[in-house]
Amino acid sequence: MHFGGYRLDILVQGYPGKTRRHGGLGWSTVALLRGHGRVAIVDTGGFSMRRIIVEALQHLDVQPGDVTDLLLTHLHYDHMINWTLFPNARITVGQTELGWALGLPMGDPIVPEFYVRELALHPKLSTVGDGAEVLPGITAYLVPGHTPGHLMFLVPGRDDETHGDLLLVQDAAKYRAELLLRAADMTFDAAITAASIERIWGFWRRRPGSLLVPGHDQPMVLQDGVPTRLGRADAAIIAIMGETLTDRTEFDLAGPPGG
Ligand SMILES: [Zn+2]
C-alpha cells in the first residue's frame, strides 16, 4: 500500500494481549516506509524481535545500514530499544518524551534507562514537537496519555493513490477497544488519553479509506464509521515440554474469527 508516495510494509505486526504471570508481551508493531529517497522505520520493536526485523528487511532487499530514518513514537522498551541496529539512521523522537524519560529514576518497569541515555547523546538525534514535519510530507502530532510525550505520525494520501491517509498511532491507541472506548488500560491521565484518542478520530475520519496502524493490533480502516481490522492476528506460542527437541506443542493465539 502507498501513502503520500511512501510504500508501507509492516515488518512485525503488533498483538493485543498480556500474559497471566510473565508481564507484558511487548509484541509491538514495527513499520517500514520507503519513498522520497528515504528508508524509514516507525518504532523498532523489543529485544526478542531483533532477528525477525533484520530478516523481514532482508526479505524486502533492505539492509540495516540502508535505513535512513527512525521515527520513534515513544520510549517504552518494546518500541525503541532496537535503534542500535541501524548505524546510519537519523532518529526522531518527541522532545517532551525524551525529557520525561531522562527524568525517570532507575528501575522504571517499561523504560530502558541506558538505551534512553545513549539515545540522548546520539549525533543524529532530532527532537520534535507537535506539528513538526519529520520526513517529506509526514507530520508528527503529540498524542499523550500512554506516555507524556507520545507522538503519532500522519502520512497524507495522494489523489492518485487508492487509499486515504496513513495514521501511525502506535500506543496512543494500542488496540481496537481503546479506539472504541476512548480509554486505555495504561494511562497517566484518563482525560488526556481521551482527548488524544479523539484527536486521532478527527484525523481518521478526514478521508475515506484511511489506514490506522496501532501499536498492538492489526491495521484498521473505518467501515460505516466502525474500526475494522484488516486480516487476523498471526501469533502462536510454541511449548517445548516433551522429551525430545522436536516434541513441540503450538498454541495458536489468533483469537476468534473476526475478533
Ligand atoms: Zn508503550
Side-chain angles (χ1 to χ4, degrees), residues 185-202:
D185 66 354
M186 286 173 68
T187 173
F188 67 89
D189 185 309
I192 290 174
T193 284
S196 288
I197 295 178
E198 203 55 55
R199 189 177 198 194
I200 288 168
W201 271 99

Side-chain angles (χ1 to χ4, degrees), residues 10 12-17 27-30 79 170-171 173-180 212-220 227-233 254 258-259:
I10 304 289
V12 182
Q13 183 58 66
Y15 182 81
W27 292 355
S28 61
T29 302
V30 182
H79 294 258
Q170 296 287 23
D171 287 3
K174 296 192 292 296
Y175 27 72
R176 187 169 178 270
E178 295 191 349
L179 288 156
L180 294 172
L212 182 145
V213 176
H216 296 268
D217 208 333
Q218 303 291 118
M220 288 172 239
T228 306
R229 291 185 176 100
L230 298 182
R232 288 181 68 197

